[in-house]
Amino acid sequence: VKTLTEVCAATDATTVRAEILPMMETVANEEDSAVVRAALAEQLGEAAPVLMRRGPKDVVHSLVTTSFLNLVASLIVDDHEDVRKESEQALIAIGELLDVHDLGNAVLTIVLGLASSKDEEEHRVSAVRLLDTLSPKMGPCLSTTFAVKELLILAQDPAFRVRRGCSEALASVAAVATDATEQLLQLFTNLARDPIWSVRKTCADQLPGFSNFMPAQARTCLLYTSPSPRDS
């Protein structure tokens, strides 16, 4: 598994799809060792950019945006934390390779699935981290339509770790979603009034960066809404 990137560098995408992909699918779906599954997730993120530099172009595009991302989608909900973390990094790495259209159709579908998980707190925490990290690549339209909307929902999550993650994402999302001032202010207000101290503290820590992307009048409102990190 750990030689996947080397194999992709030496093999055309058609051969990878025909001969290597079935073995990867077997590892993702049937391998008992979490260490091996984590290694596969890591290699997916490293092999994708190598393949994108090779051809045939249409085969590479399908292989990365469909086959590789299907494997990542499976591994990112793995029972083992190490596998999930490597899968997150692989999803980010692949997302960086795609244009906005493919990012919205392929990568965000996985992220929104994690965000809507009702039973797994870890999946929702992962979704927030991914929205935070991917927002610069998503651009203003996708960030406003999806990132801000999902963060407003997740800021009401019963798990404080999910809400704290929303606080951590404030500045990075505000930097991109420039047409969502009203929604972002509502998001900040909700988090600033959170009953959990660590959520409010993180919100306060984000205030300097967040306020840079708010209009002057909104900054005045932030001063009155901002939580004190010392509040208990």
Side-chain angles (χ1 to χ4, degrees):
V1 170
K2 290 187 176 182
T3 63
L4 174 60
T5 301
E6 296 176 14
V7 170
C8 290
T11 311
D12 65 90
T14 303
T15 304
V16 171
R17 184 174 62 179
E19 300 181 13
I20 309 301
L21 180 62
M23 291 186 284
M24 291 191 288
E25 291 172 338
T26 300
V27 171
N29 298 321
E30 300 179 18
E31 174 59 51
D32 291 333
S33 170
V35 173
V36 176
R37 297 197 304 276
L40 173 61
E42 179 184 26
Q43 286 294 303
L44 287 168
E46 293 180 2
V50 172
L51 275 173
M52 292 292 274
R53 294 192 291 268
R54 299 180 63 81
K57 187 175 180 180
D58 58 334
V59 178
V60 169
H61 182 269
S62 174
L63 189 61
V64 172
T65 62
T66 302
S67 303
F68 272 34
L69 284 178
N70 283 344
L71 291 170
V72 172
S74 170
L75 293 165
I76 207 167
V77 294
D78 196 274
D79 291 337
H80 289 262
E81 182 180 6
D82 289 346
V83 180
R84 296 195 302 270
K85 285 185 175 180
E86 292 293 351
S87 301
E88 268 190 46
Q89 294 307 309
L91 188 60
I92 292 167
I94 293 173
E96 289 292 334
L97 302 171
L98 306 180
D99 60 26
V100 172
H101 178 267
D102 285 331
L103 187 73
N105 286 341
V107 173
L108 273 183
T109 301
I110 298 173
V111 177
L112 296 178
L114 294 169
S116 63
S117 173
K118 297 188 182 303
D119 299 323
E120 294 292 340
E121 174 185 335
E122 291 298 333
H123 295 174
R124 301 192 301 278
V125 171
S126 176
V128 174
R129 281 197 299 262
L130 288 164
L131 289 171
D132 182 3
T133 306
L134 290 170
S135 57
K137 180 69 177 181
M138 290 164 62
C141 184
L142 287 181
S143 290
T144 299
T145 306
F146 294 102
V148 175
K149 177 182 175 182
E150 289 301 318
L151 289 175
L152 279 166
I153 295 170
L154 292 166
Q156 307 294 325
D157 197 274
F160 85 90
R161 291 175 60 241
V162 177
R163 303 195 306 274
R164 186 174 62 197
C166 292
S167 290
E168 292 171 349
L170 280 167
S172 57
V173 173
V176 185
T178 51
D179 294 329
T181 299
E182 184 176 345
Q183 298 99 308
L184 286 165
L185 285 172
Q186 183 60 58
L187 176 62
F188 181 91
T189 300
N190 293 346
L191 294 165
R193 296 172 178 172
D194 196 272
I196 299 296
W197 175 82
S198 65
V199 177
R200 299 195 305 274
K201 181 183 184 302
T202 305
C203 189
D205 291 342
Q206 289 287 310
L207 178 60
F210 180 76
S211 63
N212 285 337
F213 305 106
M214 294 293 107
Q217 185 176 0
R219 293 180 193 176
T220 304
C221 298
L222 287 172
L223 291 175
Y224 291 99
T225 335
S226 176
S228 168
R230 297 173 180 268
D231 289 347
S232 58

